[in-house]
Amino acid sequence: GAVVSQHPSWVICKSGTSVKIECRSLDFQATTMFWYRQFPKQSLMLMATSNEGSKATYEQGVEKDKFLINHASLTLSTLTVTSAHPEDSSFYICSARGQGGNEQFFGPGTRLTVL
Amino acid sequence: SQKIEQNSEALNIQEGKTATLTCNYTNYSPAYLQWYRQDPGRGPVFLLLIRENEKEKRKERLKVTFDTTLKQSLFHITASQPADSATYLCALSLGGGFKTIFGAGTRLFVKA
């Protein structure tokens, strides 16, 4: 149990375009989902926390108008990178936590490359 | 300032030995602490969680200790195997919304 999927697993896009990444909890209801970014050989950096049906809470320094997060259902959250630039190239990982649960279950990550 | 520090250097050990990884933190009061395994290009995989009022937790060949006075957690892998080679992440979960903050990880190499 506790499987989280992400789609796509990798994406290459042109500078200035927008990219949407989906995060799904497959076998449990995720009341809270988290979005992280990880640069090579660095730690996971929390970008935002989203609760189902509420606006996401963004970490300091993360532009909410650039990284749009939607958590419309208990099994799906999306991250849209708008007007992507090469510096947005990174590994984006989501995680999900069920109601009353403490553990976070991570998706496999999405590798974004902006040309 | 708030920090989470893990062994900065990679850890190389011989198969069959016990690997011990360290996680130290400052200026945090975590509700609980977690350890994850991450392989290259993959998302982290949950291993163990230990609460602030627990001293030790075990799961198969894994053992975690948590000393809130020293602000330190130790992660042990006994009878290590080459398949245990990966990056291991320490993560602190804070109260309230249980926001989780990750350390940079320690790369473990187990040689056959």
Side-chain angles (χ1 to χ4, degrees), chain A residues 2-19:
Chain A
V3 178
V4 176
S5 69
Q6 276 185 244
H7 179 79
S9 55
W10 60 271
V11 57
I12 301 173
C13 69
K14 292 182 179 179
S15 186
T17 61
S18 294
V19 174

Side-chain angles (χ1 to χ4, degrees), chain A residues 1-4 25 28-34 36 94-107, chain B residues 31-36 44-51 54 57 59 91-93 97-100 102:
Chain A
V3 178
V4 176
S25 57
F28 68 103
Q29 293 187 325
T31 50
T32 306
M33 284 185 168
F34 304 86
Y36 295 84
C94 74
S95 71
R97 190 177 69 211
Q99 188 172 17
N102 295 322
E103 300 95 350
Q104 287 184 50
F105 299 97
F106 284 81
Chain B
Y32 50 92
L33 186 148
Q34 303 175 72
W35 284 88
Y36 290 82
V45 174
F46 171 77
L47 297 175
L48 278 170
L49 178 152
I50 186 165
R51 301 179 194 285
E54 297 176 316
K57 210 70 167 294
K59 179 182 175 182
L92 304 182
S93 292
F98 293 119
K99 187 166 76 171
T100 300
F102 283 82

